[in-house]
Amino acid sequence: MKRSIPVRAVPADPNELAADDVAHDECGVLGISTPHGEGVAQLSFFGLFALQHRGQEAAGIAVSDGKRARVHKEPGLVSTVFTPEALAPLTGYHAIGHTRYSTTGSNAERNIQPFLVETMHGPLSVAHNGNLVNATTLRDELLHKGFGLTATSDTEVFTLMLAAAGGQTWQERIERTLPAWKGAFSLVILAADQVMAVRDPWGFRPLSVGRLPNGGHAVASETCALTTLGCVDIDEVRPGEMVTLRGAEIERTQVLAPQANGARCTFEFVYFSRPDSVWADKSVHHVRQQLGVELARESMVDADVVIPVPDSSIPAAIGFSTESGLPFNDGLIKNRYIGRTFIEPTQDIRERGVALKFNALTENLEGKRVIMIDDSLVRGTTAGPLVKLLRDAGAAEVHMRITCPPITHACHFGVDMGHDDDLMAARLSVAEMEAHIGADSLAFLSLDGMMRAVAGREAGADDGHCNACFTGDYPISVGDAQAKLAFEGVLN
Amino acid sequence: MKRSIPVRAVPADPNELAADDVAHDECGVLGISTPHGEGVAQLSFFGLFALQHRGQEAAGIAVSDGKRARVHKEPGLVSTVFTPEALAPLTGYHAIGHTRYSTTGSNAERNIQPFLVETMHGPLSVAHNGNLVNATTLRDELLHKGFGLTATSDTEVFTLMLAAAGGQTWQERIERTLPAWKGAFSLVILAADQVMAVRDPWGFRPLSVGRLPNGGHAVASETCALTTLGCVDIDEVRPGEMVTLRGAEIERTQVLAPQANGARCTFEFVYFSRPDSVWADKSVHHVRQQLGVELARESMVDADVVIPVPDSSIPAAIGFSTESGLPFNDGLIKNRYIGRTFIEPTQDIRERGVALKFNALTENLEGKRVIMIDDSLVRGTTAGPLVKLLRDAGAAEVHMRITCPPITHACHFGVDMGHDDDLMAARLSVAEMEAHIGADSLAFLSLDGMMRAVAGREAGADDGHCNACFTGDYPISVGDAQAKLAFEGVLN
Amino acid sequence: MKRSIPVRAVPADPNELAADDVAHDECGVLGISTPHGEGVAQLSFFGLFALQHRGQEAAGIAVSDGKRARVHKEPGLVSTVFTPEALAPLTGYHAIGHTRYSTTGSNAERNIQPFLVETMHGPLSVAHNGNLVNATTLRDELLHKGFGLTATSDTEVFTLMLAAAGGQTWQERIERTLPAWKGAFSLVILAADQVMAVRDPWGFRPLSVGRLPNGGHAVASETCALTTLGCVDIDEVRPGEMVTLRGAEIERTQVLAPQANGARCTFEFVYFSRPDSVWADKSVHHVRQQLGVELARESMVDADVVIPVPDSSIPAAIGFSTESGLPFNDGLIKNRYIGRTFIEPTQDIRERGVALKFNALTENLEGKRVIMIDDSLVRGTTAGPLVKLLRDAGAAEVHMRITCPPITHACHFGVDMGHDDDLMAARLSVAEMEAHIGADSLAFLSLDGMMRAVAGREAGADDGHCNACFTGDYPISVGDAQAKLAFEGVLN
Amino acid sequence: MKRSIPVRAVPADPNELAADDVAHDECGVLGISTPHGEGVAQLSFFGLFALQHRGQEAAGIAVSDGKRARVHKEPGLVSTVFTPEALAPLTGYHAIGHTRYSTTGSNAERNIQPFLVETMHGPLSVAHNGNLVNATTLRDELLHKGFGLTATSDTEVFTLMLAAAGGQTWQERIERTLPAWKGAFSLVILAADQVMAVRDPWGFRPLSVGRLPNGGHAVASETCALTTLGCVDIDEVRPGEMVTLRGAEIERTQVLAPQANGARCTFEFVYFSRPDSVWADKSVHHVRQQLGVELARESMVDADVVIPVPDSSIPAAIGFSTESGLPFNDGLIKNRYIGRTFIEPTQDIRERGVALKFNALTENLEGKRVIMIDDSLVRGTTAGPLVKLLRDAGAAEVHMRITCPPITHACHFGVDMGHDDDLMAARLSVAEMEAHIGADSLAFLSLDGMMRAVAGREAGADDGHCNACFTGDYPISVGDAQAKLAFEGVLN
């Protein structure tokens, strides 16, 4: 589920804003089917645990024993939602799971996934990563058919359309319904006796499949979940493909032709995915190191040390260091326990900005010319305080280097970057941003440089990726997306 | 919501069974609409508080501000579900509320009412007391139209049928849909700008309406809720009638003709309703005293004292005493804090049966011939231990008198009495029951005697009441009801 | 534990005040010792369950297995504090338990009983009902010996004095310490291998002992707990007596001579104790009926019906009816689910006063001259609204009769009636009170009348009861009690 | 609080054991005193937040307003224990705080710190990091003076000894009591109008003091908490020193002469402390890099890449890389959300050992000779699975290098490493360990090498550090420590 244009129901914690300038990926999905039924819920748990970085607000698992389906889902981290008591009743052969990012709201609970309904064809449960750009239209169609909708999520749209699609099999229903869905979706679908996974023909969001060591198969948003489960023969689910897992069996069907070269989200490589995931045959960690290499080639500056903003920028900083020959070192230490806190900082603390999240290592910075590598600037709220933190620790110069181009457009395909207006680079030039954050220099990786690292070629129509947040060239028209907010407020 | 043939998901506490031989009424409903919008949620809270006896498992309130609706509902007593924090966001002009009795089950939460959906006509929320006997058929019809159902309650059936009913107004949709619903239902319905209440044409379950002291109106399952709110001009919602509350306005429409003389649930008078409620122009308390009077006329026996099984039988015991001339006194003291406990009693305690709930007053019983009045025998598990308790306290004779006839048939119209097989009187004759419980004598009030107290006339086709649990003459065929279980297990 | 001069940490709920004009007894205690160790925690649970009326704020059980002691205690009702998981580890042969009434406060938790410490003589746990009037002095003595005190309760004083008392046995320590304690205390004490119970020489608060049906003995604040456990040979623990329970054995020692005729709390008979308890060889229920009889003799008035304020006044109303010949009937119905609610009533509701707690039965009141029996007037906040409720229901006359004399002095021996200033009768004459509550007449039972019902004789120095709240004649000087507040605020 | 010889009350999660081979430091302490009283609780919160790594099981803050003290403490992370509601009442000028590591146990709650008592000198609250080796003796002394002890922690011993110490000021009491305490203790002490901090004369555990930017001072276990609060003039509290913070004032008194060269815990540098802390004028991060440098000098091996076990070994791996000239890179990715989970892994998962915590980066490992740097081997349970993980990812060789010597002796000064028997190096030689974990080679840093990095000189009597876990040379006799377990079981 993705709310492309989120509305904050509660005022954000000022400290949180200051310390958290990242885009949020929304949701990880997982599906498992085994012939033996041993520990299906446990496997789902451990798989979701590896997808926790894709959503920390809620988690859910639905399991079918061949006849009946049950779901357990609630707000919280995977490890807190799934106690032994919660997992115990989830017995069966087939399962889907979900980790969710969402904005705060009193009715958020009804949007927690997987969504489970009874249909004339038996139980049906769906979980989703992505965002439908024509959700408003599809919702209206459902409403005008007389449906009552209980949630505000795309997932209910998928579910009810599938339930009403006619046809003899769930595969047939998916084939009938798929053409109507415009946008990004990596879906997992649970029926009484099988799990299905579908990926939009653009391939915006990742989805992979693998063979479980003890029989059966698993699909997951990222391969890190599959390797955690010990999967072998891991392969990407192709754009437009439907995969059916039924005990020991697996069927793969190309339902819709992939859209041209596809539109994989580049930002998954830059920031979202776990570095130990592999997507499009590329190691995310390796791509990030290459982003650092390309960045060094493009925007080298004479300096004494290269430091990452931990943790996500470490590989790129290593790559920059390797390519530039400048020494890599830690310059910032991150509090490992950072998370949501609702305590308002005192004025002392507030003025120190990112102090709660980072401390500077004076001995590695004092008197030095520092190149600080960060993965991206979204709202741009932490860059300034970080630069100041380095200077306070004695850095002689601070050169900020970003491993992607300026983000100038909101995402409508599953990433919460805020409105266009929230984006620093949509309002300011690079020179203005440099002045704003107080760095000696600021440089972004070029689109071509990024694509060389990500795809091994220059950017262009044939690069197979969605770079809309950098370019504004949305692979699908998003005019409809603006209307999506309209219905999101009706029920809450 | 009523599950006519409940399946216990967990083994019942043996002690609980022993100490709790009562039928459970399922649900109280409430609706409020005011022109000023002051304290609508608070009023709903206090109204539900007065309906707590109709369901202690969950509670919910949905409120509309004229445009958007919100709901808060969760398991627990009204006073614990509705904290100030929970009530604060429920601002608006129109509200419905619900108290729920339900069996234990892991997925019970999704059946908690009110049920709230978005429809093409705006938000729609429904809460329900009663039981549809053709719910299986109606569910199947919805499923075959392609609907996906998220719950197992009748309420979702009502809601989705209304959402899909076409028509220009909610009133029109109710008029179109009402004829399809067979069974007991006292419904409250919230739309964006109004509250509607509907009662089935048989009038199984109570429903009344009154005028709020500061403007607007309220409907509620029982008049005790209306008097708690200070209502005046209290009147019964007629069988087959629809009442619309819209700010200061009220409209009353007879949608369906009442079924002959109606089929009010006699058991509401005997046990369920609060004694301070008035139904069909009769005070429940007064009816209960009259039940005692009739009982004395029918089955007097020479004795020294008349004692009630507290609290429900106190009025009848007073009536019996008055009519018989025998002195009324307390003989049993009830622990006011009795409720669900999950602690397994020791063997000592278990053997003492009802000891946790009742203690006997030796000084009022010792050496005396005692007439003990109870409202009803359902499973018959407590009568024997109570008789023993009196004998242990020194009673010379124990004569048990019951203020209604033997219950021989399960209810399919909103009361959980268990299966037919669970009913003591379905398996045993009065003589056998007398022997089983160890009383010196056991007598039930006759059907005619009961109806004289309740309706002022003998039992018969024209008595206007449903006595199916005593006679097996169900006002509506319940053949369909047996199938209802089928779908109740599919999703859990 | 008793805070004789309570300070409200939070503003009281206005509705709660209006609906709750009662004195609060503070705490019930229980002790059990068995030779077999079967279900000791379960027995304690069921015993405390029967003492729930003596305190609903917190509960605790401490158990010793002969060597080690464990305690589980937390805020809440007995049934919610003691889940099966909480009881499971409480294995052993000896146990004490406690139910607690307390005022709200953020640090109330540390005052929850039983109090458990390690001493040089092994574990020691204590629970207490009553109030020490010289607690300030004793605390100061402990502090000046260098003790650090973790709580503000009398219980810690008892515990630490016992721990430091020297001597060879716990019995010896109790004997050495007992003379220093001035005030009301019914104590249960757990050591590694035994349970001891001690009652102050005045006998202010009740305490009884009985033999368990399967071996061993139990002590409890009230006999209703003992009968719930199936005890036989039930006897009062005498003022100044120490009882030791050690497996199958019981020892009873008169440690201190009883104070003259004793000073049993009359108010236990009037209001606090459960009616099925027996104290001083008198059934509480019977005494209450006699209070009604005496009241009828003293202050009869021509009327049509006698009604109780439920539930506590029912026996007295029956007694009044029997003696007067006037018919007894219900006139008020009480919401069985009343309890703490934190929802602020709307103006509508507030004006209706006691509406949330009581509804009037119009058909029993309309046009009638009513005698309403209540047990006592403390703050006097509900009497007026009740009179108005009856009048609104059509009562022609309302005569209020109270089963005890005007309460004019605060209690310093374990009952929370508020400060002297809070007491209605300390500020107003009977005539003024009559006018204030709007009754046609108001009459209190005389001190002599009350004592005839309670003790079978006129009031006087030899009546063996504490009537200080009616007379101001405190059996022990309470000058010290005013200082007690001083330390109660230091740690919170 | 330190339990030197912990007994696991519950069977450890096998997966947790496998994935968590670390020593646990027990507790972080904090003290703050300001002249203005602004946000003292908030400052304490943010300071504790920076000490979260020293204890994740419970947290507490005690605050005094000059007269009264209050405490809030409960199990959980700092961010969950301290909601705005919990912090709000903690107003005042002086505060102490604590983060706690503890073993699981039903009565753990009463050991949560700070400990708060009332004394004859007013409120007294204490929090503690370390372990008393003569606690048993001191407890016995207290018990024989007649004290009753409520907890099993050293903290209660400190508190009660201080309360009973006589003297005119808290400073005087500390001076009188300090000589009796043998072992490791960094204490913070709150009285009505001041905060005191004391460090044992050996200086086992860290403790530093700094000046707050807006007035007043703070003490904390680590400087990272002080820099988070914006402190300047940060200085170590000297061994045997007492620091008094009183509003704007600070007094520093050398109460006891430091023990020879002191006995700073080397393991704080190797593993416990946050890398951004400074202790003994040395940056922890810098020391760790130097550990890597020394390790490269001692045990270089020909290889293709140097990888850290994240996160703690990253600085050492960088140091090793720099010194050796071998490239540094990531080889393992750690799940950032790892923590306690109670879900039993399936056999599939269990066999994969550390899979839930780490994934290997195949592209950085395949065909390569790998040097893997880890900080220490304690129980040695993860080293083998990690080696296997690298081999499964294609590593040609795996050489494990540890940044400290083999740990052969349990700590009795505040670190939970388990019993001697739990320590891998206490049972096996280096060659046996190498074979056991399946590495191509295994080497530990020498004691001298470690001390060169930590203290700039060889190990020896004058190195000023405690290396007992590596050498068995305990700076204080720990014979008494074995007896400590005796009392730990008495009360639970």
Side-chain angles (χ1 to χ4, degrees), chain B residues 83-367:
Chain B
T83 59
E85 290 72 30
L87 277 191
L90 299 179
T91 55
Y93 297 87
H94 320 283
I96 61 173
H98 193 260
T99 58
R100 171 183 163 85
Y101 166 80
S102 81
T103 55
T104 311
S106 60
N107 281 306
E109 287 201 28
R110 61 183 176 169
N111 284 327
I112 298 176
Q113 304 185 33
F115 198 78
L116 171 65
V117 298
E118 186 196 357
T119 75
M120 76 184 111
H121 314 296
L124 174 67
S125 185
V126 179
H128 167 228
N129 172 220
N131 189 45
L132 279 184
V133 294
N134 66 334
T136 309
T137 306
L138 296 175
R139 274 179 78 86
D140 281 348
E141 289 178 13
L142 284 169
L143 291 173
H144 283 88
K145 283 182 187 162
F147 282 73
L149 301 181
T150 63
T152 55
S153 71
D154 293 354
T155 314
E156 188 178 27
V157 172
F158 288 122
T159 309
L160 296 184
M161 288 180 71
L162 286 172
Q168 294 305 306
T169 64
W170 286 112
Q171 282 70 23
E172 202 177 327
R173 281 163 218 133
I174 290 171
E175 287 169 10
R176 289 185 184 192
T177 317
L178 194 50
W181 297 335
K182 305 297 178 200
F185 51 90
S186 286
L187 282 182
V188 286
I189 300 163
L190 175 74
D193 58 353
Q194 57 191 319
V195 165
M196 289 146 287
V198 187
R199 196 163 164 223
D200 66 70
W202 295 267
F204 284 104
R205 310 251 66 89
L207 192 64
S208 293
V209 62
R211 187 158 54 81
L212 287 162
N214 283 11
H217 296 80
V219 291
S221 287
E222 294 187 35
T223 63
C224 65
L226 300 178
T227 49
T228 294
L229 297 178
C231 283
V232 293
D233 300 341
I234 294 173
D235 190 23
E236 190 175 348
V237 175
R238 285 182 293 274
E241 188 182 27
M242 169 175 65
V243 177
T244 299
L245 311 180
R246 201 183 289 112
E249 296 164 40
I250 181 169
E251 290 171 16
R252 303 183 60 164
T253 312
Q254 191 70 32
V255 177
L256 290 185
Q259 289 286 324
N261 294 302
R264 284 184 181 83
C265 171
T266 306
F267 213 60
E268 290 274 352
F269 283 106
V270 171
Y271 173 75
F272 288 144
S273 291
R274 249 175 63 166
D276 49 336
S277 286
V278 172
W279 191 25
D281 292 327
K282 286 172 204 77
S283 151
V284 171
H285 186 274
H286 181 73
V287 166
R288 287 186 191 161
Q289 286 199 322
Q290 286 307 112
L291 290 168
V293 168
E294 294 289 338
L295 194 56
R297 288 175 186 158
E298 287 189 3
S299 59
M300 178 58 185
V301 62
D302 199 21
D304 302 309
V305 67
V306 177
I307 69 163
V309 177
D311 298 310
S312 54
S313 306
I314 294 174
I318 295 174
F320 193 105
S321 162
T322 306
E323 178 67 17
S324 66
L326 295 176
F328 167 89
N329 210 339
D330 291 322
L332 295 165
I333 296 300
K334 184 176 175 180
N335 185 334
R336 297 277 160 222
Y337 299 93
I338 204 76
R340 294 215 161 189
T341 160
F342 294 99
I343 303 302
E344 181 80 1
T346 57
Q347 190 57 24
D348 304 8
I349 299 283
R350 201 196 316 277
E351 283 167 4
R352 305 195 65 247
V354 297
L356 294 179
K357 192 167 183 182
F358 296 109
N359 266 339
L361 289 170
T362 307
E363 82 277 8
N364 289 359
L365 299 167
E366 201 158 27

Side-chain angles (χ1 to χ4, degrees), chain A residues 63-70 91-94 192:
Chain A
V63 176
S64 171
D65 61 7
K67 202 169 139 196
R68 294 187 311 172
R70 294 160 193 269
T91 54
Y93 297 87
H94 321 283

Side-chain angles (χ1 to χ4, degrees), chain A residues 290-344:
Chain A
Q290 286 307 111
L291 289 169
V293 168
E294 294 288 338
L295 194 55
R297 287 175 187 160
E298 287 189 2
S299 59
M300 180 57 188
V301 62
D302 199 22
D304 301 308
V305 67
V306 178
I307 68 164
V309 178
D311 299 310
S312 54
S313 306
I314 294 175
I318 294 174
F320 194 105
S321 162
T322 305
E323 177 68 16
S324 67
L326 296 176
F328 167 89
N329 211 340
D330 292 322
L332 295 165
I333 297 298
K334 185 176 176 181
N335 186 333
R336 296 277 159 222
Y337 299 93
I338 204 77
R340 292 212 164 193
T341 161
F342 296 99
I343 303 302
E344 182 80 1

Side-chain angles (χ1 to χ4, degrees), chain D residues 9 37 52 107-109 112 126 134 159 170 210 218 249 254 291 342 363 369 441 456 472:
Chain D
Q52 184 74 80
N107 280 306
E109 286 199 31
I112 297 177
V126 178
N134 66 331
T159 309
W170 286 112
E249 295 164 41
Q254 191 70 33
L291 290 168
F342 295 100
E363 80 278 10
R369 294 166 301 166
S441 74

Side-chain angles (χ1 to χ4, degrees), chain A residues 191-356:
Chain A
D193 57 354
Q194 57 191 316
V195 165
M196 288 147 288
V198 187
R199 195 164 164 222
D200 67 70
W202 295 267
F204 285 104
R205 310 251 66 89
L207 193 65
S208 293
V209 61
R211 187 158 54 80
L212 287 163
N214 284 10
H217 296 80
V219 292
S221 287
E222 292 187 36
T223 63
C224 65
L226 300 178
T227 48
T228 294
L229 298 177
C231 284
V232 292
D233 300 342
I234 295 174
D235 190 24
E236 190 176 347
V237 175
R238 285 182 294 274
E241 189 184 25
M242 168 175 65
V243 177
T244 300
L245 311 180
R246 200 183 289 115
E249 296 164 42
I250 181 170
E251 289 170 17
R252 303 182 61 164
T253 311
Q254 191 70 33
V255 176
L256 289 186
Q259 289 285 325
N261 294 301
R264 285 184 180 84
C265 171
T266 305
F267 213 59
E268 291 273 353
F269 284 105
V270 171
Y271 172 75
F272 288 144
S273 291
R274 248 174 64 167
D276 49 336
S277 285
V278 172
W279 191 26
D281 293 326
K282 286 173 203 74
S283 152
V284 171
H285 185 274
H286 181 72
V287 167
R288 288 187 190 159
Q289 286 199 322
Q290 286 307 111
L291 289 169
V293 168
E294 294 288 338
L295 194 55
R297 287 175 187 160
E298 287 189 2
S299 59
M300 180 57 188
V301 62
D302 199 22
D304 301 308
V305 67
V306 178
I307 68 164
V309 178
D311 299 310
S312 54
S313 306
I314 294 175
I318 294 174
F320 194 105
S321 162
T322 305
E323 177 68 16
S324 67
L326 296 176
F328 167 89
N329 211 340
D330 292 322
L332 295 165
I333 297 298
K334 185 176 176 181
N335 186 333
R336 296 277 159 222
Y337 299 93
I338 204 77
R340 292 212 164 193
T341 161
F342 296 99
I343 303 302
E344 182 80 1
T346 57
Q347 189 58 24
D348 303 7
I349 297 282
R350 201 196 316 276
E351 283 167 4
R352 305 195 64 247
V354 297
L356 293 178

Side-chain angles (χ1 to χ4, degrees), chain A residues 376-449:
Chain A
S376 56
L377 290 191
V378 183
R379 289 182 189 80
T381 47
T382 55
L386 281 175
V387 169
K388 183 171 186 305
L389 194 60
L390 298 192
R391 292 205 194 280
D392 288 350
E397 296 176 13
V398 179
H399 302 277
M400 191 148 196
R401 295 294 177 269
I402 308 297
T403 70
C404 66
I407 296 175
T408 51
H409 291 77
C411 177
H412 294 286
F413 303 110
V415 180
D416 178 11
M417 290 166 163
H419 292 257
D420 288 3
D421 290 355
D422 296 331
L423 300 169
M424 191 188 209
R427 301 188 313 269
L428 303 178
S429 69
V430 173
E432 287 167 333
M433 287 189 275
E434 185 179 282
H436 179 78
I437 68 176
D440 292 281
S441 75
L442 167 67
F444 291 84
L445 185 57
S446 69
L447 193 65
D448 281 339

Side-chain angles (χ1 to χ4, degrees), chain A residues 68-70 118 139 149 489 491, chain B residues 68-69 118 139 149 489 491:
Chain A
R68 294 187 311 172
R70 294 160 193 269
E118 186 196 357
R139 274 179 78 88
L149 301 182
L491 287 183
Chain B
R68 293 187 312 171
E118 186 196 357
R139 274 179 78 86
L149 301 181
L491 287 186

